[in-house]
Each structure stands twice: as C-alpha cells, then as structure tokens.
Amino acid sequence: MSAAVSIETGVLDEYRARLGADAVDELVTSDGLRSDQAALGAAVNAMGMGGLQAARAEARTFASDEGVTYGTERRGSRNWAIDPIPVLIGAAEWQALETGLRRRANLLDLVLTDVYGERNLMRRRVIPPEVILGHDGYIRQTDGIGAPGRRQLVVAATDLGRDATGQWTVISDRTQAPSGPGYAMATRRIISRVMAGLHRSTPLARLRGFFQTFSASLQDASPTATEPPRVVLLTPGPGSETAFEQAYLATLLGFPLVEADDLVMQKGKVWLRAGDRLEEVDVILRRVDAAYSDPLELRGDSQLGIPGLIEAARTRNVAVVNPVGAGVLENPGLVAHLNAAARALLGEDLALPMPPTWWCGDDASRSHVLANLGHLVLKPISRSSGPLRYGWLLTAAERADLAAAIAAEPWAWCGQEPMQLSTAPVVTRSGLEPRRFVLRTFGVAHDDDYHYLPGGLGRVAARVGEYTVSNFTGALAKDVWVISSEADQPSVGRARRLGLPPVTRAYGLSPRVADNLYWMGRYAERAEGTARLLKVVDDFAEDNSSRTGTPGARATEILLDAVAWVTVTGAIRHDESSLTYLRRAVLDATRTGTVRHCANQVTNAAQHVRDLLSVDTWSVIGRLQQTLAETPDDDDQLQPVLADVLESLLALAGIMAQSMVRDESWAFLDAGCRMERAQMTLALLARTVTADRGREVDDLVVEGVLRAGESIITHRRRAAAGTGPTVALESAVDLLLLDRVNPRSVLYQAESLAADLSLLGDEASAARALRLSNELGEVDIADLLRPDRLAVRLAALEQEFRGLSDDLAARHFLRQAPRRAQTSGWGNPWQVTDGD
C-alpha cells in the first residue's frame, strides 16, 4: 500500500470513520487518502452523496437498458449491479502484480500438462496423487490428450485479495471455463459514462487490446493449417447464469456463439450446421462445464455437449479451450503444494503469496486443522462436496460433524488461514459503506507468455461484514482502473502464419439461430400489429360501450370479435367489460397472443441470438418490458400504455431496418416480420370485411381496419384527390391487399419475402413467394369485391402463406433430435471378449 495524502472533509472523511483501526482499504488509509488515489478521492468528495447516489442510479439504468444480467429465471435473474466508484491500481503496482500472475499461469500450465501427461509430480509426491485423483475436475477420459498449441492452459483467471499487510494474495484460480472478461468490459462501458469527466482525465490502460490478443490466442490453438481457423464459443444457452457475458464475449472476439444443437460430429470432426451445409470447426472456446461437454464419454444425460468431442480432441481434429479436465487446477488442495511444484518445475517459489493451507490427507496437517477448526476456513477440494465453511461461524455440534467428515475422508478436505481482505467504498442510501473487495484477473496464452486484461473485474460483498464475495450472494461489480502512461500500448495479438494468404470464411447461421431470428421478427410484428388493433378497438369501446344498439356499438362488437380471432387471446367473457377484456389482451403475460406475451417471446428469441444484435436492441426491449410491467391503475389508462408500447416496437423496427447489414441474419428477421404482417392482415380482413352488415356499420368497421393497418390517411388523401376509391371497403381491400407501394399490404409482404428468400439462397421458396405476389398483382379488384369471392380468396391466401412458412421451417429450422445415451448391458469391461 502506498503512502497516504491528506483528505478534505467530506463524504470520504465520514467513510474513513467507519473503518476499523486495522482495516486495509482500496481508497483511504487511517491518515487520509492513498497517494495514488488523490484524483479519485477529490472527484468522490466533489460529487457528494447526492451525486454519488445519482451515479449509482444511472449505472443501474444503463445496465438495465443494455440488458446486462446475471443469473437464471429459476435461480433469480437480476440486472448486473455496479457500484459507480472505480478501484484504481497504480502502474508500478499492476506491473508487479502482472509479473506474478504470469509466473503463476505458466506454473499452472506446466502442472496441467504433467497431470494429464507423464505425471512426474504425482510419482514423486510433489503433489500427492490423492489431491488430483480425488478431485471431481480430474477427467480420466482426457488422460494423454495434449492440446495442439504450446500451452494446455489457454485462459487463466485468478481471484485476488489484499491481506492484512496490504499485499495482493491469491484466493483461488478459475481454469475450468473462466467467466468475467465480458462483464469487465460491460462494466467499463457503463462507468466510463457514469464517471465521464474522471474517466476522460485519467490515463488508463485500455481493455480492447486484450480481446484482440484473446482472439489471436484462440486462433493459435487451432490444430489445422486453415487460415483463418474457424473458432466458436460453445454456450449452455440463455439459461446459463452468465448468458449475457458469453454472448457479449463472442461479440468482442468476433466469433459465433453456438449451442450443442448447432454442432454435429462427422468423420471424427466437429462441424457447424449452417443452413444446408456443414462448416468444419477448428477451435471451441468452451463455456459448458466439463462433465456436460461430451455425453458419449461423460454424462450421458447431457444435452449441452457434443458426443465424441473428447475423441475429436484426442485425434487433434479440434482444439478445446480450456481443455476438458482443466478444472482440476481449481482444486484448493493444490494450494498447499504449489510452491513445491514451482520449485520442482521452475526452480523458484511463486511470486504471489497464498494463504497458509493444510491438506488433511497429510497426518500432521490434519492434526493441525482438527485442532484449529474454530478459526480456519474449511474447504472441500471438490465443489461437488459442498460449500466452504467458516469454522468460527459453526456451532459446537457443526464443528463435531465437520471433524467426523474430515476424519472419514481426510484427502477430500483442506484448512486455510482466513484472509482479512481489503475493503472498498460502496455507495448506499445511508452513505459510503466499506465492503470486502476481490479482484478477478484474466490472462490468455499468446506467443511465449500470458497477457492480462489490465485490472480485471472487481467485486465487492453484497453486505457489510459479508465474508463471501460472490455473484451468487449478490456481489456488486467494480470497474478496475489501471493507471498507464500515454506511451503504453495495448497488447495486440499478431495474425497467425502471416506467410499464408488469408482466406475469407464467413460463418453461416445454424438452424437454431435462423429459427430464433425468424420468430423474433414474427413476434415483434405480432406485438406491434396487436397493439395497433387494440388501440383502435379501445377507442371504439370507449366511445360506444354505453350506446347499446347503435351502429357504433355493433362495429365495436365486430372489432372485439376480430381481436379474439386475429390475436388468439380468447373471446370476451360474459362477466367482463370490453375495456377490461382489452386490458387483459395487452397485459396478461399468461395468455397466448397478448401484447405482453408477444413481447416476452421477442425477448426470449433475442436472448438466443444476443451476439448478433446491436446493444441498442436491449435498451428498447428493456423499455418495452418495463412499460408492460407497470400495470396502469385503471382501464382508462390503456391508451398511453399502448402508445408507449408502439414507440418501443417502432424503435426496434428502426434498429432492424437501419442498423443491420443485409445478410442472412437480417433476411430471416425481416422474413419473419413480413410473414406475420401478411397473415395478420389477411386474418383481420377475413374477420371484418367479408360480410354485409349494413352500410353504416360496415363503414365504421372498415375505418377501424384502415386505422389498424396504418392506411387511413392514405385512403382519405386518395379519395379526396380522386386517385383512389371513395368507397371505404374497396379502398381497404386495395390498400391492405393489392397495393404494391403500401408497406402494409399483403402484396408488398409477398414481394419482400421473395427478396429475403433470394438473399438466403432459397430459390425454391423465393420462387413460391414471387408467384404469390404475381398472382396478387393480377387480381381484378372489382371481381374480388363480390362477397362470396373475397372470403374464399382471403382464406386461400392465408393458406398459401402458412404453407410457405412451413416450407421455410422444413428447409432452415430443423433441429437435432434430443440425444439419449445407450448403455451397455455389460457390467464390467473384462466381460467383453473378442471371441464369438
């Protein structure tokens, strides 16, 4: 810790008074500010608690708007919580820390290589075999598999904390499938806006270069000479706690996010399903836990992995990063033996200290642990054995039970001296509070060394006095700033094998991705079309609900019936008013077809393709969801809700139309919009304008239909100018069915669909859509307006569009069947013989 400087009276003076006499803090000391924290301290004091609390609220708003989340619906998903005060690390301090981290990563790589290779460390009992073989991260099926690159451990993450002396100390390593670098960048993006002035004036080491190096590191891991290698990020899916981070990381790296359904194993190789073709995969960045990664070799019930992945890695047909089995390095039992391993492999001790740790498989160490249960942290070496225990928090009975468990399986336990951990200020409603602080650092292997993200991801405990700093317990994120001189340059990875000419390799869309894009487009359009219709019908109901027997009341009944038919929300109940029914059609999330249900489906589909969408998409979706979650006090306030819903949906449509490259992603999304608009328009026309109910009623109904179809102004303008029909029914059929230049007409949707399908290379479906548009273009409206003809034609057209949608699904959205493990009837391998 650096020397202190004086501190002016203000919020930090009050904060310092809350610290204990021997506390170590990231910002202040008992005498004032740390010397390298002067600018930050001045900014915090200048903002005062009012400004800091406003910054805290702004950070929460940005996280919500950008859809930065952690957790699952089942376990309680929440927006990513960020404290606005960054943690600063000086340039010299970070350089020393990074040097220690590199040495540690190099050692862990050597240990991993030895554990799954020659096993000299275990043979010589530098590391007792029980520590490795008794850990659930040791995957026997991967024994002898060496990654094709020079490193086995490609991605290394280490959790650090300051001890009571202010020295950075290792808490644990994360090597199985480390999470967090994406969250670090997302946190930086938000804090750079919340603390914009301070961020601009502080010379910081930038983060972007790390992700460029990360991308190059993954390409270096490829076992093939293909240029560039095809790299994918394998995710468990949107149900993962860190789903946002995985998608964001894929975006930062420029590689596609894939699920198991997107990949197949053929001829011993992994292939990406891209439409009607397969594309070979060279490198998989794995975010699926090891046990689930290969249902053929490991957990047979897994739907998250790829059958045969381990064998493909063994035959060097694909590289898996980090390799299946790297989780063995997360073993806390290793901590007691790592310095011995460092001396054996590197001829030196590790630079970064670790808390004194005793592995209970050793008799003397076990005796020490059992004698000191009351003040040690007790850790099972495998996470599957349960959480760590703080001995001083256990009752006498609980300590006795724990002692018995250690005596029964001593190799499975270790005891560790507790760390004090430094604190960092957290903005709360009652002022600044000191919370325990943990820093997670991230390194990637590239060329001859490991390269680290400057700073990493900081986290502070959810509550004052909380010992565990974990996302599971509600920890808050901290942006970590590393001070850098202007001369410092970011670490950027070189391109691989520069002597070879580069080959462009575009990534195709898997059926899962195409399906979700298509249905995201459909549900977005369905939500918009439903909201427009409900807005019109709500106007009618408000004007005519008390005027029983009038043409307006009859027109309202017809339009209410159309709502039930077009949106499939169900008919109005006998015991509810029309306004209550319309409110339900907007806000009921449990009923299919409501606006809120459609909005939820948009969100669900978008989560599956998050890596393909602009970050602005999430602020729009978040605003849409917030609007629908804020239930109005009474039915009379439905119009403002619908107006806000339409505003969000129009913003979403604008992002799609103006921000997306016209590639396959856009084509599937737009095709979904066009298909839904065509089918909704046909259903609305079929339910409203195909029966004769009297001129006065029909005129009102048709006016409502034109308003719902955003064509009423065009009808009136054309009628007044003599360029269009004066009869409302004829104008509605013309504008909403046959008008080639009206973006709301069915003919326009058919022509747009043909263009989308041509872009996809689906010429058969494109030709079908084009035939449909040509037939519509040749329709004689006078012949069509005969009541018996219009209903038949609309039904036929609706059937045509449904058939076209079914063809699309069959051609592009076919998923793989769920996998089921087939178990052998043999009980033991020696029962299998080569003889007859």
Side-chain angles (χ1 to χ4, degrees):
M1 302 289 284
S2 52
V5 296
S6 62
I7 182 172
E8 298 180 4
T9 301
V11 294
L12 286 182
D13 191 51
E14 297 173 7
Y15 171 70
R16 189 160 53 90
R18 293 189 173 192
L19 297 173
D22 58 348
V24 176
D25 190 77
E26 293 297 318
L27 182 56
V28 303
T29 70
S30 58
D31 301 321
L33 284 170
R34 289 174 54 199
S35 60
D36 53 0
Q37 308 288 312
L40 176 58
V44 169
N45 266 337
M47 293 176 73
M49 279 313 304
L52 290 170
Q53 287 168 347
R56 173 175 172 257
E58 191 176 18
R60 289 185 174 184
T61 298
F62 283 139
S64 176
D65 286 348
E66 297 188 5
V68 188
T69 58
Y70 177 84
T72 64
E73 290 185 9
R74 182 169 58 87
R75 292 186 178 181
S77 178
R78 59 178 174 85
N79 289 329
W80 186 244
I82 305 173
D83 184 79
I85 303 176
V87 170
L88 265 64
I89 299 178
E93 183 179 18
W94 173 253
Q95 185 176 11
L97 181 56
E98 188 175 19
T99 298
L101 289 167
R102 285 173 173 165
R103 291 181 184 174
R104 186 177 187 86
N106 276 298
L107 174 64
L108 292 175
D109 176 61
L110 292 173
V111 171
L112 184 63
T113 302
D114 183 75
V115 162
Y116 288 101
E118 296 181 356
R119 291 189 282 276
N120 288 326
L121 293 172
M122 287 190 280
R123 286 195 178 96
R124 295 159 50 195
R125 294 196 70 83
V126 175
I127 299 175
E130 299 93 326
V131 172
I132 300 298
L133 303 180
H135 188 259
D136 59 8
Y138 179 70
I139 308 297
R140 289 165 173 78
Q141 292 87 337
T142 62
D143 183 56
I145 299 178
R150 68 184 72 185
R151 302 281 181 181
Q152 302 300 300
L153 184 67
V154 178
V155 185
T158 301
D159 286 341
L160 303 165
R162 291 190 195 270
D163 63 15
T165 68
Q167 186 175 23
W168 287 108
T169 302
V170 173
I171 298 172
S172 61
D173 296 293
R174 291 289 180 263
T175 56
Q176 208 259 116
S179 66
Y183 280 127
M185 178 60 94
T187 300
R188 171 64 57 86
R189 278 173 48 89
I190 291 172
I191 295 302
S192 67
R193 287 180 284 172
V194 171
M195 307 289 281
L198 182 63
H199 182 265
R200 282 194 299 268
S201 63
T202 306
L204 299 181
R206 304 301 175 181
L207 307 186
R208 177 62 65 178
F210 170 79
F211 294 97
Q212 295 171 327
T213 303
F214 198 166
S215 178
S217 174
L218 293 171
Q219 292 179 331
D220 281 347
S222 173
T224 71
T226 305
E227 287 294 335
R230 191 174 298 280
V231 184
V232 298
L233 193 159
L234 178 62
T235 172
S240 169
E241 286 88 351
T242 58
F244 163 82
E245 198 253 352
Q246 294 165 30
Y248 191 49
L249 181 60
T251 302
L252 291 169
L253 297 176
F255 302 130
L257 188 71
V258 302
E259 296 179 23
D261 183 71
D262 303 330
L263 304 173
V264 295
M265 184 71 65
Q266 284 191 9
K267 300 178 181 178
K269 298 181 178 181
V270 180
W271 304 80
L272 175 67
R273 302 172 67 212
D276 58 355
R277 66 186 187 277
L278 296 177
E279 300 172 354
E280 186 176 349
V281 173
D282 302 302
V283 181
I284 296 174
L285 176 58
R286 176 178 62 87
R287 290 295 292 270
V288 172
D289 286 351
Y292 294 87
S293 61
D294 186 344
L296 189 63
E297 296 272 5
L298 302 169
R299 287 194 54 154
D301 60 344
S302 172
Q303 298 294 320
L304 305 177
I306 309 159
L309 178 63
I310 289 176
E311 183 61 24
R314 185 184 302 279
T315 55
R316 300 292 180 91
N317 285 326
V318 70
V320 181
V321 174
N322 279 338
V324 176
V328 70
L329 298 177
E330 297 183 358
N331 184 344
L334 276 177
V335 174
H337 306 93
L338 274 184
N339 268 322
R343 289 190 292 271
L345 296 172
L346 302 174
E348 61 183 8
D349 284 335
L350 287 169
L352 291 174
M354 298 170 287
T357 303
W358 297 269
W359 175 60
C360 294
D362 174 77
D363 292 343
S365 295
R366 182 170 65 256
S367 296
H368 175 82
V369 169
L370 292 174
N372 294 276
L373 279 181
H375 74 266
L376 294 178
V377 181
L378 290 310
K379 297 182 176 181
I381 67 170
S382 295
R383 290 188 185 182
S384 61
S385 299
L388 59 81
R389 281 85 155 172
Y390 299 105
W392 59 92
L393 297 180
L394 300 177
T395 65
E398 288 170 335
R399 282 198 295 272
D401 290 342
L402 181 57
I406 292 172
E409 293 182 327
W411 52 267
W413 291 89
C414 62
Q416 195 172 78
E417 199 71 38
M419 282 183 60
Q420 178 70 27
L421 283 183
S422 65
T423 57
V426 173
V427 180
T428 72
R429 292 179 180 178
S430 59
L432 295 182
E433 289 184 352
R435 309 270 186 89
R436 287 184 171 87
F437 173 74
V438 169
L439 173 64
R440 176 168 292 185
T441 59
F442 306 97
V444 292
H446 183 60
D447 291 338
D448 294 325
D449 209 344
Y450 284 86
H451 301 259
Y452 275 79
L453 180 73
L457 176 64
R459 290 173 295 169
V460 285
R463 290 166 293 277
V464 173
E466 178 81 44
Y467 290 102
T468 303
V469 183
S470 166
N471 291 328
F472 286 106
T473 59
L476 285 75
K478 281 273 195 180
D479 193 12
V480 180
W481 294 4
V482 172
I483 305 301
S484 173
S485 67
E486 293 184 0
D488 289 339
Q489 297 294 322
S491 173
V492 179
R494 297 183 294 103
R496 297 174 69 243
R497 305 173 186 134
L498 295 179
L500 297 175
V503 177
T504 302
R505 299 181 69 186
Y507 287 92
L509 297 181
S510 69
R512 175 190 60 85
V513 172
D515 191 8
N516 280 285
L517 284 167
Y518 178 74
W519 281 101
M520 181 182 171
R522 287 203 67 162
Y523 276 112
E525 180 61 33
R526 188 176 300 180
E528 182 186 333
T530 301
R532 290 188 186 282
L533 179 59
L534 292 173
K535 198 170 187 295
V536 170
V537 179
D538 182 65
D539 264 346
F540 269 77
E542 191 152 340
D543 289 342
N544 299 289
S545 58
S546 61
R547 301 168 61 190
T548 306
T550 64
R554 178 63 181 136
T556 302
E557 291 175 5
I558 294 166
L559 291 172
L560 282 168
D561 174 70
V563 169
W565 179 264
V566 173
T567 67
V568 300
T569 54
I572 188 170
R573 297 195 301 253
H574 296 297
D575 60 343
E576 66 181 346
S577 68
S578 57
L579 295 176
T580 302
Y581 168 71
L582 293 171
R583 175 192 176 100
R584 184 159 56 86
V586 175
L587 301 171
D588 190 346
T590 65
R591 185 176 292 272
T592 300
T594 66
V595 175
R596 191 168 183 183
H597 173 266
C598 293
N600 289 343
Q601 295 299 107
V602 171
T603 303
N604 291 339
Q607 287 172 342
H608 281 274
V609 293
R610 186 189 285 265
D611 58 313
L612 300 176
L613 302 177
S614 163
V615 68
D616 294 330
T617 305
W618 295 99
S619 63
V620 173
I621 289 177
R623 188 164 65 247
L624 174 62
Q625 292 284 12
Q626 184 177 2
T627 297
L628 292 167
E630 295 174 352
T631 306
D633 294 333
D634 55 60
D635 301 328
D636 293 336
Q637 296 182 8
L638 204 55
Q639 285 287 326
V641 171
L642 288 168
D644 289 345
V645 165
L646 285 171
E647 182 180 343
S648 294
L649 290 168
L650 287 172
L652 184 60
I655 292 172
M656 296 177 190
Q658 301 300 326
S659 299
M660 292 191 70
V661 174
R662 293 324 193 238
D663 58 8
E664 288 186 2
S665 299
W666 178 83
F668 279 118
L669 197 61
D670 191 65
C673 292
R674 302 303 177 184
M675 184 66 71
E676 188 63 35
R677 183 173 293 180
Q679 291 192 27
M680 286 194 76
T681 301
L682 289 168
L684 179 61
L685 289 171
R687 203 66 179 181
T688 55
V689 303
T690 56
D692 186 359
R693 306 175 185 91
R695 179 65 179 271
E696 200 170 358
V697 173
D698 284 345
D699 282 351
L700 288 171
V701 170
V702 171
E703 179 183 341
V705 170
L706 284 167
R707 286 170 59 191
E710 280 291 279
S711 300
I712 188 67
I713 294 176
T714 304
H715 157 64
R716 290 170 179 165
R717 189 177 65 246
R718 288 181 179 179
T723 58
T726 57
V727 177
L729 174 59
E730 184 178 352
S731 185
V733 173
D734 184 36
L735 281 169
L736 297 179
L737 190 62
L738 306 175
D739 195 315
R740 194 177 296 275
V741 296
N742 183 6
R744 296 283 167 178
S745 77
V746 175
L747 174 56
Y748 192 96
Q749 311 319 311
E751 291 181 342
S752 299
L753 267 171
D756 291 337
L757 297 172
S758 290
L759 181 57
L760 293 173
D762 187 348
E763 296 304 331
S765 296
R768 182 172 179 176
L770 193 57
R771 275 196 312 273
L772 191 54
S773 66
N774 290 336
E775 290 173 6
L776 276 169
E778 296 171 359
V779 169
D780 183 348
I781 190 171
D783 183 60
L784 188 64
L785 286 174
R786 291 171 52 184
D788 57 327
R789 297 285 181 88
L790 182 57
V792 172
R793 172 67 76 167
L794 292 173
L797 285 170
E798 192 170 4
Q799 192 62 35
E800 279 286 340
F801 277 99
R802 289 185 185 278
L804 182 56
S805 183
D806 291 342
D807 279 357
L808 277 175
R811 291 175 186 271
H812 300 283
F813 309 148
L814 191 61
R815 305 291 189 93
Q816 298 187 67
R819 293 183 292 270
R820 291 179 174 82
Q822 298 293 324
T823 57
S824 169
W826 299 104
N828 295 297
W830 58 80
Q831 290 177 290
V832 181
T833 65
D834 294 330
D836 293 335

